[in-house]
């Protein structure tokens, strides 16, 4: 087995979504970046995900924030309407604007570049049916559109001097293991393996690592309660229910085989970012400091592999 001293990983990053900061909550008062950067740094994280575009700042403000806390930007969510050509074309200026933020952050740490994390925006049918199901999915023409638009988006990322990654995601058109297989066969873009979303899509993360490791260039590590996920899928309750019912929990508190997964990742010498995520929609009933405490515990849980 590979020892921790042999691991070439870029580092472990925390995520704003673990503190309830993501697109779903962007219309609510959000904590200041320093309220998240400082606890993550003190817990031993090496980087952070972007969160809503602009939340961490832009340009020199973003670079200074990262440098002050000794953090690098690991990646960030960029969803696009990949199966709707007209909507996709309209979204491209927003992609370019987001890439400017990534490029600014890259200047803070040229040795550990962020990966813009492309994803499909899904549609109303997929958003209402986490886990997919019979008759839910793209036809050949839909895959052709998605493939063509992914290539366009990836080319823009590469022209900005960065490498893209693609996030399979619940309630989108790339969710199930079979859909991931199809995506990888049709594109040259690396895969973000998200352990929690793979479980929702009916896959096993350890098997997924073995199946796609040669294409995985980014990790989203999250533990999940399969009973909660199964109930949401059964009810067709949608992704918001996944977050609100706290399906994603601290590492070791759910059903992810954390040891089996990390053993496989380390043994293969993975050299990308591992972003720890524990997606939550904050509740007034949460104990003060719970999010920071959970992320401290998550970092400690990984010291067996990444001290």
């Amino acid at each position: 087995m590979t020892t921790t001293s042999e691991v070439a990983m870029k580092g472990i990053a925390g995520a704003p979504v673990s503190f309830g900061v993501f697109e779903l909550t962007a219309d609510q008062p959000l904590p200041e970046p320093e309220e998240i950067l400082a606890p993550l740094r003190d817990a031993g994280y090496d980087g952070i995900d972007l969160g809503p575009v602009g939340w961490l700042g832009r340009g020199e403000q973003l670079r200074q924030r990262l440098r002050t806390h000794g953090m690098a930007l690991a990646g960030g969510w960029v969803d696009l309407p990949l199966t709707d050509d007209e909507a996709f074309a309209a979204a491209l200026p927003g992609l370019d604007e987001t890439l400017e933020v990534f490029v600014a952050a890259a200047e803070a740490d040229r040795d550990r570049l962020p990966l813009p994390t492309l994803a499909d925006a899904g549609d109303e049918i997929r958003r209402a049916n986490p886990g997919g199901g019979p008759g839910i999915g793209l036809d050949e023409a839909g895959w052709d559109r998605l493939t063509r638009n992914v290539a366009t988006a990836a080319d823009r990322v590469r022209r900005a001097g960065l490498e893209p990654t693609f996030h399979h995601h619940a309630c989108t058109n790339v969710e199930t293991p079979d859909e991931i297989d199809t995506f990888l066969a049709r594109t040259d873009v690396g895969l973000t393996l998200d352990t929690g979303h793979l479980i929702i899509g009916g896959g096993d993360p350890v098997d997924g690592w073995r199946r796609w490791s040669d294409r995985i260039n980014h990790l989203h590590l999250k533990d999940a309660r399969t009973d909660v996920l199964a109930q949401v899928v059964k009810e067709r309750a949608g992704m918001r229910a996944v977050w609100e019912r706290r399906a994603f929990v601290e590492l070791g508190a759910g059903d992810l085989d954390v040891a089996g997964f990390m053993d496989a990742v380390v043994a293969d010498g993975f050299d990308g970012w591992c972003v720890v995520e524990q997606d939550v929609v904050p509740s007034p009933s949460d104990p003060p400091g719970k999010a920071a405490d959970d992320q401290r515990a998550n970092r400690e849980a990984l010291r067996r592999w990444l001290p």
Side-chain angles (χ1 to χ4, degrees):
M1 174 179 167
T2 304
T3 65
T4 52
S5 62
E6 296 171 313
V7 176
M9 199 176 291
K10 289 181 180 179
I12 298 181
V17 71
S18 301
F19 295 78
V21 177
F22 63 124
E23 289 71 19
L24 185 67
T25 61
D27 60 346
Q28 305 170 17
L30 299 176
E32 290 298 314
E34 283 73 19
E35 297 177 57
I36 292 176
L37 283 162
L40 289 176
R41 174 202 62 207
D42 294 345
Y45 289 88
D46 308 293
I48 188 169
D49 225 36
L50 185 63
V53 176
W55 174 75
L56 274 175
R58 301 171 187 266
E60 183 55 30
Q61 181 188 44
L62 171 59
R63 288 191 292 271
Q64 189 58 43
R65 274 198 171 117
L66 294 171
R67 289 172 177 149
T68 296
H69 294 279
M71 306 278 269
L73 185 68
W77 174 257
V78 186
D79 69 314
L80 296 163
L82 295 171
T83 60
D84 182 330
D85 287 337
E86 183 176 347
F88 176 75
L92 287 175
L95 171 61
D96 292 337
E97 180 183 351
T98 301
L99 290 175
E100 291 176 4
V101 178
F102 279 103
V103 169
E107 294 174 10
D109 191 331
R110 297 301 303 177
D111 294 326
R112 299 183 297 176
L113 298 179
L115 279 76
T117 310
L118 305 176
D120 176 48
D123 54 38
E124 290 303 319
I125 293 175
R126 295 301 298 240
R127 283 190 284 273
N129 291 274
I136 298 174
L138 296 177
D139 59 14
E140 189 66 18
W143 275 113
D144 286 344
R145 286 191 296 275
L146 184 142
T147 302
R148 182 175 61 250
N149 291 331
V150 166
T152 297
D155 179 65
R156 270 175 146 81
V157 174
R158 289 168 177 148
R159 283 193 279 116
L162 301 170
E163 184 60 24
T165 185
F166 188 90
H167 191 320
H168 65 93
H169 199 283
C171 298
T172 75
N173 289 302
V174 185
E175 176 176 15
T176 69
D178 286 347
E179 289 169 338
I180 295 170
D181 281 337
T182 301
F183 172 85
L184 294 176
R186 285 172 167 263
T187 73
D188 67 351
V189 179
L191 179 70
T192 292
L193 180 64
D194 186 303
T195 56
H197 285 273
L198 186 57
I199 291 171
I200 297 174
D204 173 76
V206 176
D207 176 67
W209 174 263
R210 293 170 180 154
R211 186 167 170 174
W212 304 308
S213 60
D214 63 334
R215 291 288 298 276
I216 296 168
N217 62 351
H218 205 52
L219 285 180
H220 282 185
L221 182 66
K222 48 167 76 83
D223 205 345
R225 293 178 53 200
T226 55
D227 60 335
V228 176
L229 295 178
Q231 188 62 33
V232 171
V233 170
K234 180 180 178 181
E235 295 175 10
R236 300 300 186 195
M239 270 306 294
R240 188 178 184 103
V242 172
W243 293 312
E244 290 180 339
R245 297 182 194 183
R246 303 297 174 101
F248 300 126
V249 292
E250 61 270 25
L251 296 175
D255 297 296
L256 174 67
D257 178 5
V258 178
F261 183 79
M262 289 304 300
D263 282 348
V265 169
V266 171
D268 282 351
F270 176 67
D271 62 357
W273 278 103
C274 176
V275 183
V276 179
E277 292 188 326
Q278 188 182 335
D279 308 17
V280 296
V281 174
S283 167
S285 63
D286 292 340
K290 175 175 170 49
D293 290 343
D294 283 352
Q295 299 325 301
R296 189 179 305 110
N298 286 335
R299 183 63 185 91
E300 290 302 313
L302 294 175
R303 291 198 183 279
R304 169 178 163 185
W305 300 275
L306 295 166

